[in-house]
Amino acid sequence: TYIKIKGDIDKLKSENDYTYQAIDVIVWPLITVIDQLQRLHHHAYQQLRESINIYQKGRHNQIIGLIVLLAVTGLFGVVIMLGYVRRALTDLKEAQDITHKSEHYNRTLFDQSSIGLALCRMDGELVDINPAYARIIGRTVEEALALSYWDITPETYAASEQCQLENLNKTGCYGPYEKEYIHKDGHLVPVRLQGSFIEKGGETFILSSIEDITEHKKAEAEIAKHRENLEEMVQERTSELRNTQYELMMKERLAILGQLTATVSHELRNPLGVIRLSLYAIDKIIDKNDEPAQQAMNQVDRNLDRCDNIVDELLDFTRSATAERHPVRIDDWLDSVIDEQEFPENILVEKNLCMKNAEFSIDADRMRRAVINVVENACHAMLEDNQLNKAKKGSRLIITTGDNEERIEM
């Protein structure tokens, strides 16, 4: 028995397994041995008393043998065994203290961890969790332990969960992978999980670590938003550069066109001036009563004015002047512009102005030239017929204004 007990204690120390079950395996045999020694000592003592009663019969050797047996087996054996038991129990007590401190230290780390930790069975039943895990799903530890793993997992993750379980069975671990938990208030919490098998008390559990990645997801969304904004800014900047390049190209072309226009206008104005002086001289000579001649002179004069206007417009176009807009009453302004013009006698001008007191911001000078050009073109189109300078009977020019949804038509 002594050899067996010593072997059990040595095995216990080598395996560092200081559980209550392992200690009981050693303690109970020790109690049995002590009990046997006590019975043996009691039996030897009874025999000693009987031997003393029959001392007179001459059984001296038996009495001496029993005394020796009592001394050897009763006292010496019990002392040795009790001393060994005391040392063994002292070692076991120290081992228990170390184990208790280690368990307390590990439990403190488990509870104080900022990462959620959960121990569950293979069917998803939660066995143990730390406060960080409970906070992720918005519950207390007691409330969370009343749930199972599947109670807080959305059904949409069934396929991915099955894949992770297969990896767990094959390799003994799973993850890390991302999914979502169902919070107590119903919203979904993004998390990152990883875990492995763990043996405890002869049963297999799954130990998982869970990290709340809500802030990480928000940061990713913010980065994606900034990336989109950056792409928009790049596109806007590229568009601005293209517009700038186009403007520079147009300015370069306009500069060349301006030089050409200046040369052409100079070369045109000189002969136009000569023609106008010649026309003035002819007008002094011809008979004022010669109607065909007067009509021809008037037509030449109008076309000279038209050529001057074309040259002015070319010069204005090449200058690229900024429009100077001022509010005007469109009907009153257009009426005054039409009244300033001279129309052929055979063309009837009809004004149908319907905007009354409506005001609009326009560049009056530029708009006046545009209106005059349109009116003159209309008059020339009506005057050109097979008969020299005679308009068709009933020709008339109608000038109207009106509101057409978001724009004004003239």
Side-chain angles (χ1 to χ4, degrees), residues 102-139:
S102 177
E103 290 178 352
H104 177 72
Y105 176 75
N106 292 335
R107 187 67 202 187
T108 302
L109 292 179
F110 184 84
D111 291 337
Q112 297 299 324
S113 174
S114 60
I115 302 296
L117 300 174
L119 186 70
C120 68
R121 290 189 170 88
M122 295 300 295
D123 60 358
E125 178 186 357
L126 293 174
V127 177
D128 195 7
I129 64 171
N130 67 345
Y133 183 90
R135 285 194 298 270
I136 292 176
I137 58 177
R139 301 176 183 270

Side-chain angles (χ1 to χ4, degrees), residues 163-339:
C163 179
Q164 295 299 323
L165 285 175
E166 292 177 359
N167 291 336
L168 181 63
N169 291 324
K170 290 180 181 178
T171 64
C173 60
Y174 74 92
Y177 86 108
E178 296 181 1
K179 57 172 288 186
E180 292 174 317
Y181 274 164
I182 302 175
H183 194 270
K184 183 178 180 179
D185 61 13
H187 79 273
L188 299 179
V189 182
V191 293
R192 182 184 293 114
L193 299 88
Q194 60 182 356
S196 61
F197 282 134
I198 184 173
E199 297 290 335
K200 184 179 179 181
E203 185 177 357
T204 301
F205 297 91
I206 302 175
L207 178 61
S208 303
S209 63
I210 303 92
E211 180 183 3
D212 186 348
I213 57 174
T214 301
E215 296 301 324
H216 178 71
K217 289 297 183 180
K218 289 181 179 179
E220 286 184 349
E222 192 69 20
I223 292 173
K225 180 179 178 181
H226 287 307
R227 185 182 297 112
E228 293 177 358
N229 293 338
L230 181 60
E231 291 177 356
E232 292 179 359
M233 292 173 63
V234 170
Q235 292 178 356
E236 291 177 0
R237 187 57 179 168
T238 302
S239 178
E240 291 177 359
L241 291 175
R242 289 176 179 173
N243 293 336
T244 302
Q245 183 180 10
Y246 177 77
E247 290 177 0
L248 291 174
M249 182 178 65
M250 291 301 297
K251 287 181 179 179
E252 183 179 358
R253 292 181 178 180
L254 288 174
I256 297 174
L257 181 60
Q259 295 176 357
L260 178 61
T261 302
T263 302
V264 172
S265 63
H266 178 72
E267 296 298 329
L268 286 177
R269 286 189 187 278
N270 287 334
L272 288 175
V274 173
I275 294 173
R276 191 177 295 278
L277 290 175
S278 300
L279 184 64
Y280 179 76
I282 295 173
D283 185 57
K284 295 294 183 180
I285 298 174
I286 64 174
D287 187 2
K288 299 297 182 181
N289 296 323
D290 189 350
E291 184 177 352
Q294 290 296 326
Q295 290 179 352
M297 294 292 291
N298 291 334
Q299 186 177 7
V300 172
D301 187 61
R302 286 196 304 270
N303 281 279
L304 287 174
D305 292 338
R306 187 178 180 186
C307 290
D308 286 335
N309 291 333
I310 292 173
V311 172
D312 290 338
E313 290 176 0
L314 286 174
L315 292 174
D316 290 341
F317 177 76
T318 56
R319 292 191 189 102
S320 297
T322 303
E324 297 181 0
R325 296 181 179 181
H326 300 283
V328 297
R329 291 186 177 181
I330 194 68
D331 282 359
D332 296 341
W333 173 82
L334 184 58
D335 187 41
S336 64
V337 172
I338 299 302
D339 289 342

Side-chain angles (χ1 to χ4, degrees), residues 4 45 62 77 93 115 127 153 210 225 249 331 361 386 408:
K4 182 178 183 303
Y45 180 75
Q62 184 179 3
K93 182 64 169 61
I115 302 296
V127 177
T153 299
I210 303 92
K225 180 179 178 181
M249 182 178 65
D331 282 359
S361 294
N386 294 330
I408 299 302

Side-chain angles (χ1 to χ4, degrees), residues 140-165:
T140 64
V141 173
E142 292 74 16
E143 290 175 342
L145 288 175
L147 303 173
S148 71
Y149 180 80
W150 305 110
D151 292 332
I152 58 176
T153 299
E155 295 181 358
T156 54
Y157 289 93
S160 60
E161 288 291 339
Q162 184 63 34
C163 179
Q164 295 299 323
L165 285 175

Side-chain angles (χ1 to χ4, degrees), residues 30 63 72 84 93 118 277 279 345 392:
L30 290 176
I63 293 172
V72 173
Y84 183 79
K93 182 64 169 61
L277 290 175
L279 184 64
E345 295 178 355
K392 294 181 180 180

